[in-house]
Amino acid sequence: MKIKHLVIVSLATFISSSPLAGMIPYSVENMPKSESWPAYEAQTYNSQVESGFIGAISNIVVLYDPAFSPEQINRYVIEQVTLANNAHKINNVQYRRNIVAVLPWKLQGSNVAEAVDSFTYNEFDTLRKKYGASLVSIIIESDLKDAQCGVQNGYHTITAFNRQCALPTLLAHEWGHVDRLNHEYDLTESHFEDDNYAWQCGGKPTIMSANLNFNQFDLNNFYSDPNITRDGEACGTTVANNARVLNDTIQHQSAVWREVAPLNIVGKVTIEVDKNKSSESIKVITVTRDGDLTVPGSIEIYSDAVTAIPSRDYSELATRVTFAANENSKTVEFKIGSNNPVCETGTRSVLIGSRWGEKLSNSADLSLSVTTPLSVLNSKQCKGNIEEPSTDKDNNNSGGGGGSTNLLALLSLLALAFTRRK
């Protein structure tokens, strides 16, 4: 059988083969309809690892092209790491992925293959140690001329953030390669192990599948494993058992996740609104840390929609606050309103939280009420168009989904519009 896909199995394979390896992108014909499109919904998510978890944890630094907005990348990363961790639970593997920092970082090159060629290991080793990370995940824009969505190179993954590469398991797939997991047997270029291949069951591929002509938006969200069945069919065999190999990998003393020790937590942050410096349109958030102030540290401050709607009621917040040695307080501005003003009375709510701390642990969430400023309500744009806030009875939604539901509807419409573009 002629192999049409070039894939990466391990670092050794990468060194001996062409750098143009990895996943083949979708064709437009395979794109899902709007109701199936992955929705990156804003959500409260301070930690990727459940409280009290005992097992191996792979800490990850994410670097992304500054052309993307932090909010956009954060939602995407949250979706990807959540799916990866849920897969580990399904496969009964005591292993979790944990994001420790998400940072803008511009690489040379216009696609995955060119990006791989543009960096050296040394420039990212410093980052790994700074944030106590096992691996580095790089997310880039891509012209897709190399015909690939992602690649694994040692402890790095490089993936494209494009509509054609919107597979919700893309990062879980590439992280699997870091931990020695392979594609299907006939789509693997070099065969080093006899039991480490992807599989399909119940008519759907598993996470490490490389057959991207399949309907990727309807896949099994776990790794190949003969102990799991779908529609009466085993999801692996003795030679297709990614789950067993993953278990072996995390127990090995030379596993990637063991190479860099996690950072010691030296303090905690608290966040509050500075009422004296805040106004109708800008809330000033004070971020204060305690503990050992002689040690530098950083943490991301972010917003999370409840009933308020991002980019309409407020500008989304996703910014990293960095404390120098002996510095204990910083401020962040949270902007209310937008260029598309809301001509509506009443209040909506949004949460402000912290996550992904470097030597710092998270604060409690801060709940804020968002109202349309009087200056906006009295403007020509709003005069005569002021609406009373909707009630559950008005919108016929007994769950009162609020802003999150509206945001999902908006994203679905946008996805549908892109689907229809030629």
Side-chain angles (χ1 to χ4, degrees), residues 326-348:
N326 300 313
E327 189 175 33
N328 75 324
S329 183
K330 286 289 190 102
T331 59
V332 173
E333 289 189 350
F334 176 62
K335 297 180 180 179
I336 296 174
S338 67
N339 293 329
N340 181 27
V342 183
C343 301
E344 182 181 298
T345 60
T347 61
R348 284 81 68 192

Side-chain angles (χ1 to χ4, degrees), residues 42 78 89 136 143 214 282-283 307 322 340 345 349 359 416:
I78 286 168
K89 293 177 186 178
V136 177
D143 56 19
F214 214 84
I282 295 178
K283 301 299 180 184
T307 58
T322 300
N340 181 27
T345 60
S349 59
K359 301 179 183 176
L416 181 59

Side-chain angles (χ1 to χ4, degrees), residues 215-246:
N215 180 1
Q216 281 68 246
F217 291 86
D218 188 21
L219 49 67
N220 290 307
N221 59 340
F222 50 83
Y223 300 97
S224 62
D225 186 341
N227 298 311
I228 299 175
T229 60
R230 284 293 182 271
D231 297 331
E233 182 181 359
C235 294
T237 68
T238 55
V239 295
N241 194 342
N242 287 154
R244 191 197 67 75
V245 174
L246 186 58

Side-chain angles (χ1 to χ4, degrees), residues 110-361:
S110 59
N111 53 54
V112 169
E114 292 176 358
V116 170
D117 289 337
S118 73
F119 68 80
T120 63
Y121 283 80
N122 291 339
E123 66 181 307
F124 295 123
D125 269 340
T126 301
L127 275 179
R128 291 175 78 206
K129 294 171 183 176
K130 174 179 173 62
Y131 291 100
S134 307
L135 60 96
V136 177
S137 281
I138 303 161
I139 301 174
I140 67 168
E141 283 195 298
S142 174
D143 56 19
L144 296 180
K145 288 182 179 179
D146 60 341
Q148 58 186 334
C149 290
V151 71
Q152 168 257 335
N153 182 359
Y155 57 75
H156 306 90
T157 67
I158 304 93
T159 55
F161 186 51
N162 296 70
R163 178 169 167 74
Q164 294 95 326
C165 297
L167 179 67
T169 58
L170 178 56
L171 287 180
H173 178 106
E174 297 302 338
W175 292 334
H177 284 317
V178 174
D179 289 322
R180 300 168 46 221
L181 307 186
N182 290 343
H183 297 154
E184 294 92 342
Y185 183 88
D186 59 345
L187 296 176
T188 298
E189 186 178 60
S190 301
H191 301 278
F192 297 107
E193 299 177 81
D194 293 330
D195 56 0
N196 188 19
Y197 301 105
W199 198 250
Q200 295 186 10
C201 56
K204 302 175 184 179
T206 48
I207 286 176
M208 296 308 299
S209 175
N211 185 358
L212 293 192
N213 291 320
F214 214 84
N215 180 1
Q216 281 68 246
F217 291 86
D218 188 21
L219 49 67
N220 290 307
N221 59 340
F222 50 83
Y223 300 97
S224 62
D225 186 341
N227 298 311
I228 299 175
T229 60
R230 284 293 182 271
D231 297 331
E233 182 181 359
C235 294
T237 68
T238 55
V239 295
N241 194 342
N242 287 154
R244 191 197 67 75
V245 174
L246 186 58
N247 256 322
D248 287 350
T249 297
I250 64 175
Q251 293 170 25
H252 201 278
Q253 290 301 316
S254 62
V256 168
W257 67 272
R258 295 181 186 272
E259 291 182 4
V260 179
L263 299 179
N264 293 322
I265 302 299
V266 300
K268 181 179 180 179
V269 299
T270 57
I271 55 177
E272 61 182 352
V273 176
D274 187 332
K275 295 181 179 179
N276 294 324
K277 295 181 179 179
S278 298
S279 65
E280 269 191 324
S281 57
I282 295 178
K283 301 299 180 184
V284 176
I285 310 298
T286 301
V287 186
T288 307
R289 66 159 173 162
D290 59 17
D292 185 354
L293 301 184
T294 64
V295 179
S298 65
I299 199 163
E300 181 170 296
I301 307 300
Y302 73 103
S303 61
D304 181 16
V306 181
T307 58
I309 299 178
S311 301
R312 192 198 76 163
D313 289 318
Y314 64 92
S315 297
E316 288 190 86
L317 180 62
T319 186
R320 196 157 196 93
V321 173
T322 300
F323 296 93
N326 300 313
E327 189 175 33
N328 75 324
S329 183
K330 286 289 190 102
T331 59
V332 173
E333 289 189 350
F334 176 62
K335 297 180 180 179
I336 296 174
S338 67
N339 293 329
N340 181 27
V342 183
C343 301
E344 182 181 298
T345 60
T347 61
R348 284 81 68 192
S349 59
V350 61
L351 292 178
I352 306 296
S354 61
R355 61 186 172 196
W356 304 335
E358 172 203 358
K359 301 179 183 176
L360 299 172
S361 60

